Amino acid sequence: MDIQKEIKVSEKQPVLFIAGTEFGEFYKAMEQRWKRPGEQGRDLLMASLFYSMGRVHGIREERARRKRK
């Protein structure tokens, strides 16, 4: 995994979840939805987001591997 390449790609992506925006409100609502006693609300949400990002990264790697063949 090339971290520098991933950083350059992410710099071109639109910024989401900023407070005061529609996605910011969505993030707050999801944080409240997943909040459980004794936990931070964002823990489960962040776990889900990182899982999704990892899955997408795995799909990209698999496509690149197939393309090289």
Side-chain angles (χ1 to χ4, degrees):
M1 178 173 162
D2 184 1
I3 298 294
Q4 294 303 319
K5 182 179 176 184
E6 294 297 323
I7 290 171
K8 286 179 183 177
V9 169
S10 68
E11 288 173 349
K12 295 177 184 175
Q13 299 298 320
V15 178
L16 301 176
F17 304 118
I18 295 176
T21 66
E22 186 176 346
F23 278 112
E25 297 303 315
F26 170 71
Y27 182 84
K28 268 201 270 186
M30 291 299 292
E31 192 174 50
Q32 290 300 314
R33 162 66 176 90
W34 291 104
K35 191 170 187 167
R36 293 185 179 171
E39 290 184 340
Q40 297 253 349
R42 65 182 169 267
D43 292 346
L44 294 173
L45 180 58
M46 294 306 287
S48 175
L49 289 172
F50 282 112
Y51 170 80
S52 296
M53 288 171 35
R55 186 169 186 277
V56 169
H57 180 70
I59 291 170
R60 284 183 188 164
E61 284 185 335
E62 179 63 19
R63 285 181 183 157
R65 185 186 68 79
R66 289 181 186 171
K67 189 175 180 179
R68 285 191 300 264
K69 280 187 171 182

